[in-house]
Amino acid sequence: MSHSPRTIDWEKELNPRQLEAVTTTEGPVLVLAGAGSGKTRVIVYRLAYLHLERRVSPRQCLAMTFTNKAAGEMAQRAQGLCHTDAPFPISTFHSFCARWLRRWHAAAGVSRDFIILDTGDVQSLFTTLARELQLPADLVTPRQLASAISYAKNHLMDAAAFAAAAKGPRQEAAARVFAAYEARLKQLAALDFDDLLLLTLRTLESDASAREATQRQYRYLLLDEYQDTNLPQDRIAAVIAAEHRNICAVGDDDQLIYRWRGALPRNILEFDARWRGAKVIRLEENYRSTEVILSAANALVTKNVQRRGKRLFTRRLGGEPIGLLVSGDEQEEAAAVLAQIKELVAAGRRPGEIAVFYRTNAQSRPLEEQMLLSGIPYQIVGGLRFYERKEVKDILAYLRLIHNSADDLSFSRIVNLPRRGIGEATVGRLAELARERGLSLYATARAVVAEKGRDHRTLAALGRFVDLVEALRQESRMIPLTSLIGRVVRGTGYEEHLKNTEGELAKARLENLSGLEAAAAEILRSLPPGGEVDPLGFFLERVALLSDVDELADDAEAVLLMTVHTAKGLEFPVVFVVGLEEGLFPHQLNLTDEENVEEERRLFYVAMTRAKERLFLSHAYARFAAGRTSAQSPSRFLSELPREHLATLSGMGRGSAARAPRPFYLPQAPAGGVQVGFNSRGPRPARPPVVGPLSHHFAVGDRVTHPRFGGGRVLSTSGAGEHLKVTVDFGRGVVKTLVQRFAKLSHAS
């Protein structure tokens, strides 16, 4: 139902540069939107302006961004501004391409019900293919294969082109896997994330009907986070906008941090050279950060050469100086961060207003240990996601097979789950037969049962599984998706399986599956009206394309721990950036040339500009990694910040003496004559006293107890002595990896 259009005082609600970006609707426009300058506001108001003032239907606009969370928020805000229920087409690139390919599946040469492989599926498939091709385990890893093949696809290379360019045994091995991978994807009726883009681009460029219909529908194109677009994304946008040339690209070259993922700097740096007559508008007023934070960030990023140039300013004059924490090692660093957080919370800050950023995921461990000891609530963003929990992936595999019987990955996961007497040998023979016949595993199973009957025990079990899937497929057409999920959990015997095998943990796992029903209900609220879109397919597609940030609750009342890459697009009143050391931030892999160092500097700039009111920076003089202690030198980026904006704090919290020397940067090395640098050997500074006993020995399956989390079961252990780590499932979806020397973990009585 539509409402009466709203009248907006555009000049009152937008500053002059924002107003120019909103009202310049015709022709190509590049909006260089600095951090905190109202980028999202410009996109939303531009959509509203097109609808309210230019009388453009929302269906004729297409806006693309990089997370489903951002897309949903933009669409909701645009509808609110326009007082309309008409949906605005705002989505991620991958979501748009997935929907577009289902619409034009015949032209693209794919099944309308293709499945989308997530990162875990792809890694598993590469492992299988490497084994089938008998590649030496030390030649190339599944992760390396995924990276190489994704890089090739982002540069529009297929398997044949990759093989022609391959040099050396590693690339030649990757080329063999690439060819097998493309064949297997076709067999599975599956696409990976890169294929969504690549196939959309190829079809747009090769099929005139699909191209012209798409160009007619979308008269106005808006691209958010344009600096993060790769070659296929930029080409897709260029094709769509070629007819009307009403393309508005919004981005910030100073926040280009995804070159390693295929983002091309030239997309934003050369936009006006490629789009004749393009207008460039700079948004330079920052509404987020204090003057102190912004001034320091400006001083840092101006050291980069590869940028278009702008200087942010703010009316939030003054601000507290940037706190500098100097510690002996990563344990002291974590303790220093916790001491500051405790002070902030005591002064009235909510934990949810505080975020801690690090360069690599491995840095979260000492921070998490300190959080556990302190009792301060925390959440690791980018850790074990809800949709990666085993029980959730198991039920999703059933749903995927119900939706698409060609999904061999899902078939292999659930054909004997719960146990049905269908062993690996049987699945192996089915796989051989499937390859011979050119069929999926499920189709082969159906055929074998039809041909040979059910007299044999294994055939009978296989037949019951086929009957079960067929019955569920029939039900999926008649009952709501949330009811279908419950039916799968109970009707497959999975609920009983959990109760029989998981003991007291079964309740928590079943609660997660209830959460899956709730998640389905939430996702289906954004189902396009009209009944043309299959709810099950829509749900599975959205789940496959979710990111870490998409699962982040808006009202999280916990300190958030995350990598800087994950933090992109977020903002917090208080931010800590830890591990500011040479070889860590900037990362050692990016010290090979100045272009890579510039990307690391942009990444630090992104971290700094997430902070609204308080910013703390931290480094340690030694760090334990890869089984040894390395003496560290402070990051070069610290020396690039204005000295007058920094206040050096003690390494163990305000008021106590720091262990390490604290001259201005770059400071002298710690005493002892050790070599300072990433992965150099040196004496390890004294650690905080051991809190918990080290005498306990834990084995997988042991029942244990923890003072805060209560009872649980050991899932895995690693390390030994003072580095013993124990991963425990405490139920209710709480899985923690604890260092025993701190955790006070003991065997349950």
Side-chain angles (χ1 to χ4, degrees):
M1 177 177 119
S2 294
H3 307 282
S4 58
R6 175 188 171 187
T7 300
I8 296 177
D9 187 339
W10 305 98
E11 293 184 1
K12 182 179 179 181
E13 300 201 22
L14 301 165
N15 71 35
R17 295 285 75 76
Q18 290 175 338
L19 181 64
E20 184 181 13
V22 164
T23 58
T24 307
T25 59
E26 308 306 305
V29 178
L30 174 63
V31 180
L32 292 174
S37 63
K39 168 180 66 70
T40 301
R41 185 178 186 84
V42 164
I43 293 172
V44 170
Y45 272 74
R46 185 179 172 91
L47 288 169
Y49 185 85
L50 284 166
H51 180 54
L52 297 177
E53 304 292 343
R54 300 294 191 195
R55 297 293 184 258
V56 176
S57 166
R59 293 188 68 256
Q60 294 181 301
C61 302
L62 175 62
M64 288 195 275
T65 184
F66 276 78
T67 68
N68 289 292
K69 186 181 181 73
E73 290 172 354
M74 286 181 187
Q76 190 173 24
R77 287 176 60 181
Q79 287 177 297
L81 279 177
C82 297
H83 283 197
T84 179
D85 293 331
F88 282 83
I90 307 175
S91 68
T92 66
F93 265 98
H94 291 92
S95 294
F96 167 78
C97 290
R99 290 197 309 273
W100 191 91
L101 286 170
R102 296 197 196 283
R103 164 68 178 85
W104 297 98
H105 64 95
V110 293
S111 165
R112 188 179 189 279
D113 295 324
F114 63 82
I115 60 174
I116 301 172
L117 301 187
D118 62 23
T119 304
D121 295 329
V122 171
Q123 293 277 352
S124 175
L125 193 50
F126 280 132
T127 300
T128 300
L129 293 172
R131 185 173 60 248
E132 290 178 359
L133 295 171
Q134 299 181 330
L135 297 182
D138 59 349
L139 182 60
V140 63
T141 67
R143 185 180 295 274
Q144 290 170 332
L145 288 168
S147 177
I149 292 171
S150 178
Y151 178 88
K153 289 184 176 183
N154 280 329
H155 289 77
L156 310 183
M157 297 175 68
D158 59 15
F162 186 87
K167 296 179 181 178
R170 286 176 181 256
Q171 290 187 8
E172 289 169 359
R176 291 176 60 200
V177 174
F178 196 171
Y181 179 60
E182 288 200 332
R184 190 62 56 87
L185 289 178
K186 188 173 183 179
Q187 177 187 340
L188 293 170
L191 301 176
D192 62 26
F193 289 172
D194 296 316
D195 290 329
L196 293 174
L197 303 175
L198 201 56
L199 195 54
T200 297
L201 175 60
R202 287 176 178 168
T203 309
L204 278 170
E205 291 184 336
S206 63
D207 190 280
S209 296
R211 180 175 61 255
E212 291 167 6
T214 305
Q215 290 172 340
R216 281 195 304 271
Q217 179 173 352
Y218 301 118
R219 289 173 50 202
Y220 295 88
L221 179 62
L222 287 84
L223 305 176
D224 185 22
E225 303 287 7
Y226 184 61
Q227 76 281 349
D228 293 335
T229 53
N230 60 21
L231 180 58
Q233 288 164 338
D234 191 52
R235 289 261 296 263
I236 289 169
V239 173
I240 294 174
E243 176 72 16
H244 299 286
R245 299 186 79 247
N246 296 326
I247 179 172
C248 178
V250 183
D252 183 3
D253 50 314
D254 288 332
Q255 297 188 66
L256 198 162
I257 60 173
Y258 288 114
R259 278 196 318 128
W260 55 274
R261 209 166 64 182
L264 289 181
R266 69 175 179 83
N267 288 354
I268 192 167
L269 295 175
E270 302 173 7
F271 178 89
D272 40 337
R274 292 182 293 117
W275 287 91
R276 182 174 45 82
K279 187 169 188 177
V280 179
I281 302 169
R282 286 173 168 80
L283 305 183
E284 297 177 308
E285 182 172 357
N286 177 286
Y287 293 92
R288 177 187 300 154
S289 304
T290 65
E291 181 185 27
V292 167
I293 294 171
L294 201 59
S295 177
N298 277 334
L300 173 85
V301 80
T302 52
K303 298 292 190 296
N304 277 357
V305 175
Q306 193 178 34
R307 62 192 296 263
R308 299 190 64 125
K310 60 185 172 302
R311 192 163 188 86
L312 300 187
F313 68 94
T314 180
R315 302 178 196 275
R316 299 187 63 193
L317 303 181
E320 296 216 33
I322 297 169
L324 201 56
L325 301 174
V326 182
S327 305
D329 67 0
E330 74 276 10
Q331 298 293 346
E332 285 190 6
E333 178 183 58
V337 169
L338 250 294
Q340 294 295 331
I341 289 176
K342 285 181 176 179
E343 285 189 18
L344 290 163
V345 172
R349 286 283 179 199
R350 294 183 294 104
E353 295 179 318
I354 303 170
V356 184
F357 303 157
Y358 34 78
R359 179 64 178 81
T360 66
N361 279 305
Q363 294 171 253
S364 69
R365 178 188 57 78
L367 293 162
E368 187 170 7
E369 292 166 6
Q370 291 290 337
M371 293 286 182
L372 287 169
L373 291 171
S374 71
I376 291 179
Y378 72 95
Q379 177 183 346
I380 295 183
V381 183
L384 181 64
R385 293 167 50 195
F386 174 78
Y387 291 103
E388 292 173 347
R389 300 184 188 278
K390 181 183 183 303
E391 62 273 18
V392 173
K393 288 186 74 70
D394 289 342
I395 299 305
L396 286 175
Y398 271 104
L399 295 174
R400 282 172 47 165
L401 189 63
I402 291 167
H403 180 65
N404 184 347
S405 62
D407 189 346
D408 285 358
L409 294 175
S410 294
F411 178 94
S412 298
R413 184 181 184 103
I414 62 172
V415 67
N416 199 39
L417 183 69
R419 293 190 179 278
R420 301 183 174 89
I422 305 172
E424 291 184 9
T426 300
V427 176
R429 288 194 293 272
L430 276 176
E432 292 176 7
L433 193 57
R435 283 193 291 271
E436 291 174 7
R437 298 186 177 187
L439 299 174
S440 69
L441 287 173
Y442 182 75
T444 303
R446 289 186 64 183
V448 166
V449 170
E451 293 165 6
K452 298 188 176 182
R454 306 189 183 202
D455 292 339
H456 189 274
R457 179 173 59 85
T458 301
L459 287 170
L462 205 57
R464 287 193 296 273
F465 177 72
V466 169
D467 292 344
L468 173 65
V469 173
E470 289 303 309
L472 290 171
R473 181 171 288 122
Q474 289 295 324
E475 287 191 65
S476 72
R477 302 187 183 103
M478 299 181 289
I479 62 177
L481 176 57
T482 51
S483 300
L484 177 65
I485 292 172
R487 177 74 180 91
V488 169
V489 172
R490 292 179 290 275
T492 61
Y494 193 82
E495 180 178 26
E496 197 64 28
H497 159 75
L498 288 180
K499 291 178 179 178
N500 292 337
T501 60
E502 296 292 334
E504 63 189 55
L505 298 178
K507 182 179 179 181
R509 301 204 185 282
L510 288 170
E511 286 175 355
N512 284 337
L513 295 179
S514 294
L516 183 62
E517 294 184 41
E522 180 67 27
I523 288 175
L524 290 183
R525 289 178 186 172
S526 57
L527 184 72
E532 298 178 2
V533 178
D534 171 39
L536 177 55
F538 181 82
F539 169 68
L540 293 173
E541 179 180 298
R542 285 293 299 271
V543 168
L545 297 175
L546 284 174
S547 69
D548 294 331
V549 173
D550 289 327
E551 293 188 40
L552 179 61
D554 292 327
D555 57 351
E557 273 309 314
V559 175
L560 297 176
L561 312 181
M562 68 188 80
T563 66
V564 183
H565 282 101
T566 302
K568 175 75 181 303
L570 304 178
E571 60 180 39
F572 303 92
V574 182
V575 165
F576 290 80
V577 186
V578 302
L580 282 161
E581 296 135 31
E582 284 295 299
L584 187 55
F585 202 172
H587 197 276
Q588 59 178 337
L589 297 179
N590 286 334
L591 297 178
T592 54
D593 60 58
E594 190 55 36
E595 190 174 6
N596 288 336
V597 172
E598 287 205 358
E599 176 143 349
E600 291 286 311
R601 187 176 286 112
R602 290 193 295 267
L603 187 60
F604 184 33
Y605 173 81
V606 166
M608 294 178 69
T609 54
R610 301 310 92 197
K612 298 166 72 175
E613 298 169 25
R614 298 293 306 276
L615 175 62
F616 296 86
L617 309 177
S618 172
H619 79 82
Y621 276 105
R623 197 167 292 271
F624 186 81
R628 67 183 187 182
T629 298
S630 301
Q632 303 290 94
S633 59
S635 170
R636 70 188 69 185
F637 299 150
L638 291 172
S639 67
E640 297 173 356
L641 302 178
R643 181 171 185 172
E644 64 270 18
H645 292 329
L646 302 179
T648 305
L649 306 176
S650 122
M652 290 298 291
R654 203 183 299 268
S656 62
R659 176 184 303 277
R662 294 178 286 137
F664 198 70
Y665 297 90
L666 290 174
Q668 65 188 44
V674 298
Q675 177 187 355
V676 177
F678 191 79
N679 277 344
S680 60
R681 295 182 183 275
R684 186 159 179 76
R687 288 182 171 276
V690 174
V691 176
L694 297 179
S695 57
H696 289 291
H697 172 73
F698 297 103
V700 175
D702 283 357
R703 298 289 176 182
V704 295
T705 185
H706 183 273
R708 178 182 173 197
F709 298 112
R713 189 182 69 169
V714 175
L715 299 179
S716 65
T717 64
S718 62
E722 68 172 15
H723 302 301
L724 174 65
K725 291 190 290 187
V726 186
T727 299
V728 182
D729 188 331
F730 290 103
R732 305 173 305 282
V734 179
V735 178
K736 299 291 181 184
T737 298
L738 310 173
V739 175
Q740 169 55 13
R741 67 194 299 267
F742 295 105
K744 293 184 179 180
L745 195 65
S746 59
H747 285 97
S749 57

